[in-house]
Amino acid sequence: MANLKFNDSMRITISGVQLTGDLAVPEGAKGLVIFSHGSGSSRLSSRNRFVAEHLQRSGFATLLFDLLTEQEDQYRENRFDITLLTTRLVDVVNWVQHLDEVKDLHIGLFGASTGAASALGAAAALGSDIIFAVVSRGGRPDLAGPVLAEVRSPTLLIVGGLDEEVLDLNRQAQDQMQCLKDLEIVPDATHLFEEPGALEMAAQLATDWFRKYLEPGKQHPLRE
């Protein structure tokens, strides 16, 4: 594990609700990656935490947080409310830019499953001067709908080669996007990347993308 100068759970207060988040900041962090988990998951997702630790070892700060409160998560429809989840992610991006530990870092978004739709929606809403890169793992970018064409942040779509239905949906979404974009297929991987080495490959692809687009040493303005 990289030498962390900050690693803590915190309460994120936005729009009248409190969400729980886990922020890890390595020494000399190169950028900040904020995670948007899929439906029925949380900041404790083992797969997302695996990717987060890989990013931390590569010098990136990470923030994993619960998109819903415990009470909200009891209602299944909230887990698929892309508009609500996108709004939450936008609010958290705005909130995190005021934290001393990470306010000077460029921001990237990592979305898994349905979380990819909220990540792309947030990127479209905030613009490429705030969101410098997006990565989707086994995502449903198609659920972002018409805002796909509004995304300007460089976007990487990672899909398992055996996840045929999702792969087809990603290809369709890629065709609708007007930004710099790429689709990487992890051979012989299914939707959850449970096969030996599959998640490691996805984590490395994500890390390489963020290395390319989250450049250190540049400040972006705080949003009011």
Side-chain angles (χ1 to χ4, degrees), residues 44-209:
L44 302 178
S45 160
S46 60
R47 284 175 286 276
N48 278 354
R49 295 186 86 85
F50 179 92
V51 175
E53 289 173 3
H54 192 283
L55 287 165
Q56 292 160 23
R57 288 194 296 271
S58 299
F60 290 98
T62 62
L63 173 63
L64 297 97
F65 74 99
D66 294 328
L67 287 159
L68 300 171
T69 66
E70 288 186 12
Q71 183 177 7
E72 290 170 337
D73 195 47
Q74 294 177 10
Y75 299 91
R76 188 174 184 274
E77 59 268 25
N78 287 334
R79 301 177 182 181
F80 295 91
D81 188 339
I82 302 301
T83 300
L84 170 62
L85 302 178
T86 299
T87 299
R88 287 284 166 83
L89 184 54
V90 168
D91 287 346
V92 168
V93 170
N94 289 332
W95 173 87
V96 81
Q97 290 178 88
H98 295 272
L99 282 185
D100 288 341
E101 295 85 1
V102 295
K103 67 181 182 181
D104 294 337
L105 301 178
H106 286 172
I107 297 172
L109 301 178
F110 182 97
S113 191
T114 53
S118 57
L120 289 164
L126 291 165
S128 58
D129 59 332
I130 299 297
I131 303 303
F132 283 76
V134 179
V135 173
S136 161
R137 175 190 60 78
R140 289 291 308 277
D142 56 294
L143 295 177
V147 304
L148 283 173
E150 301 173 17
V151 176
R152 294 294 177 263
S153 310
T155 299
L156 174 65
L157 308 175
I158 305 172
V159 187
L162 299 181
D163 194 8
E164 295 179 1
E165 182 178 355
V166 171
L167 178 55
D168 185 52
L169 292 170
N170 273 256
R171 284 176 170 146
Q172 294 176 37
Q174 184 186 26
D175 288 341
Q176 297 177 52
M177 300 175 71
Q178 305 299 314
C179 59
L180 192 155
K181 57 197 175 178
D182 199 4
L183 172 64
E184 290 280 2
I185 300 173
V186 177
D188 301 321
T190 52
H191 185 62
L192 296 180
F193 294 82
E194 295 175 308
E195 295 73 22
L199 192 56
E200 289 86 346
M201 183 174 178
Q204 188 59 56
L205 288 168
T207 299
D208 291 343
W209 193 259

